[in-house]
Amino acid sequence: TSVSQIMEHPSFLTHHDFKYGILEEVGPGIRRLTARNPSAFTFHGTGTYVIGEGDVAVIDPGPEDSTHINMLVESLQGETITRILVTHCHMDHSPGARLLQKLTDAPTYGFGPHGTHQSINGDSGEEGVDVSFRPDVKVKDGETIRAGIAEIECVHTPGHTSNHMCFALPKTGDLFTGDHVMGWSTSVVIPPYGNMSDYINSLEKLLIRSDHCYWPTHGPPIGDPKIFVRSLIAHRLQRIKDIVALLELKPLSISEMVKPLYPQIDSRLIGAASRSIFASLIYLIDRKIIACDSAVSLQSIFRTIES
C-alpha cells in the first residue's frame, strides 16, 4: 500500500477544513487554532489544541509566532490556561510555549528536553530543533495531568524524537498524537535523536490501546486509528524490504537510493528522505542484515551481509 493510498482511504480520515485565525471547536471539549506556518513539513500548519473549558490545557503552542499566541489568548478570554503540554521539541511545536508562558504563567509539561548527541561527521541532524526547551514538569509514560475537570494521560512514543509524548483523554478515547501519527503524511525519522526501531515499537504500542480518534498536530483527525496505524507499520516495513532489495543488487550510498525509493519526491524533501533511509539502514544494521565497510554515516556505502 502506498502512502497516498493510506492517506486517501475514506475510512481512515475524518475530513475537516482548516481555518486560520479562528479557534474552532472540532470535538466535544476540544478546540484547535491553526498557526499560519504551512510548509512541506507542516501541511496547513501547526494545530494548537485547547482541552476542556474554564481551566484549560494547551497542547503544542506551535512556532515562535506572537500573532498565533496572541490570537490564542484573546480567543480564551474569560478562561484560564493552567497547563501547557508539549509533544516534542521541533521548532513548529515548542517555541510558542515561551511566549504563552509570558502571558499566562502556566507551567509547561513534557517528557524532557530534546535528546543530546554527538554529530556524525559534522552532521548533527539538528535543523529545526528547539534545543533550549526544558519542561517545567517532566512527565513519564502513564502519568496523569489534570486541567480543570480534564484528566490527560501521558503516552511516551519515542521514534520521531526520543522525547516524543502523546496525550490522551481516556474518558473519551481521544489521543493527541503530535508528529508520531500525522493525518496527512508519514512522520520523518532522523537519526540519531530519531530511531526507526523505537518508532515502529511506538506504533505497535498504540495498537493495544483503545483510543477512538487521533488528533495530529498536522492534518485532520483520524477516525479509524487502528487500521491507519497498521497501514503505517506495513508501509515502514515495506520500505525496509525495498532497501534490502536494492542492496541485494549492489552496494549503494544513501544518495543513490533516494530516487529509486522516492521516484516522485518533492525536491524540498530530499534531505528528510535521505535521513529516513538512514534510519532504516541503522535498523537493518542492528539486525545484522546489512553492513558498511566504514563508520556508519550518511556518506557510507551499504551492502547486504552474505548468509
Side-chain angles (χ1 to χ4, degrees):
T1 304
S2 71
V3 176
S4 60
Q5 287 172 320
I6 292 171
M7 301 303 162
E8 293 171 2
H9 196 291
S11 69
F12 294 160
L13 302 181
T14 303
H15 293 284
H16 184 83
D17 292 330
F18 289 82
K19 301 174 183 176
Y20 294 119
I22 299 174
L23 182 63
E24 311 168 78
E25 183 175 355
V26 293
I30 301 171
R31 288 170 282 178
R32 181 181 63 206
L33 181 66
T34 303
R36 292 180 182 270
N37 61 331
S39 75
F41 291 95
T42 64
F43 195 42
H44 291 294
T46 299
T48 297
Y49 288 98
V50 177
I51 309 304
E53 295 179 358
D55 290 344
V56 302
V58 169
I59 298 177
D60 281 345
E64 191 173 11
D65 180 349
S66 59
T67 300
H68 177 64
I69 296 302
N70 289 336
M71 178 64 68
L72 178 66
V73 172
E74 290 171 9
S75 299
L76 292 170
Q77 284 186 3
E79 300 182 78
T80 304
I81 297 172
T82 63
R83 306 283 187 270
I84 302 170
L85 282 52
V86 173
T87 60
H88 64 297
C89 302
H90 281 158
M91 295 299 286
D92 55 320
H93 289 254
S94 60
R98 287 184 285 275
L99 299 179
L100 188 56
Q101 275 199 302
K102 290 179 181 179
L103 299 175
T104 66
D105 291 327
T108 56
Y109 291 72
F111 183 80
H114 189 72
T116 57
H117 62 272
Q118 299 297 316
S119 65
I120 300 174
N121 289 349
D123 186 346
S124 68
E126 289 289 2
E127 293 181 10
V129 175
D130 181 12
V131 294
S132 64
F133 177 77
R134 299 286 189 278
D136 297 318
V137 181
K138 292 183 180 180
V139 288
K140 298 179 181 179
D141 185 63
E143 288 191 16
T144 297
I145 300 169
R146 298 184 184 276
I149 63 172
E151 295 183 358
I152 305 167
E153 177 192 0
C154 301
V155 185
H156 186 214
T157 50
H160 177 63
T161 62
S162 60
N163 68 338
H164 195 286
M165 185 74 79
C166 296
F167 298 102
L169 298 176
K171 291 182 179 179
T172 61
D174 295 295
L175 181 70
F176 299 86
T177 57
D179 282 2
H180 180 52
V181 177
M182 297 194 291
W184 75 290
S185 177
T186 54
S187 298
V188 65
V189 179
I190 298 177
Y193 58 87
N195 181 280
M196 188 62 72
S197 292
D198 289 345
Y199 176 71
I200 292 173
N201 289 339
S202 292
L203 287 175
E204 291 175 341
K205 177 179 182 176
L206 297 188
L207 291 177
I208 63 175
R209 295 180 53 84
S210 56
D211 308 296
H212 302 307
C213 184
Y214 291 173
W215 298 92
T217 301
H218 308 289
I222 299 167
D224 203 342
K226 288 194 177 182
I227 293 176
F228 194 81
V229 169
R230 289 191 188 101
S231 297
L232 290 179
I233 294 170
H235 168 74
R236 290 291 181 174
L237 294 178
Q238 184 59 55
R239 180 74 72 200
I240 289 167
K241 290 179 182 178
D242 292 343
I243 290 172
V244 174
L246 281 177
L247 294 179
E248 284 176 340
L249 299 175
K250 63 178 180 178
L252 293 168
S253 65
I254 291 175
S255 62
E256 293 171 316
M257 297 184 216
V258 173
K259 196 136 191 184
L261 292 171
Y262 300 92
Q264 297 179 328
I265 190 170
D266 184 326
S267 61
R268 296 172 296 175
L269 300 177
I270 289 176
S274 298
R275 287 171 168 82
S276 187
I277 293 170
F278 189 38
S280 294
L281 291 166
I282 292 172
Y283 175 95
L284 290 165
I285 288 172
D286 290 343
R287 285 156 180 76
K288 303 187 186 309
I289 297 172
I290 68 168
C292 63
D293 296 325
S294 60
V296 179
S297 75
L298 288 164
Q299 291 75 40
S300 297
I301 303 295
F302 299 89
R303 59 175 174 81
T304 55
I305 297 176
E306 296 181 6
S307 56

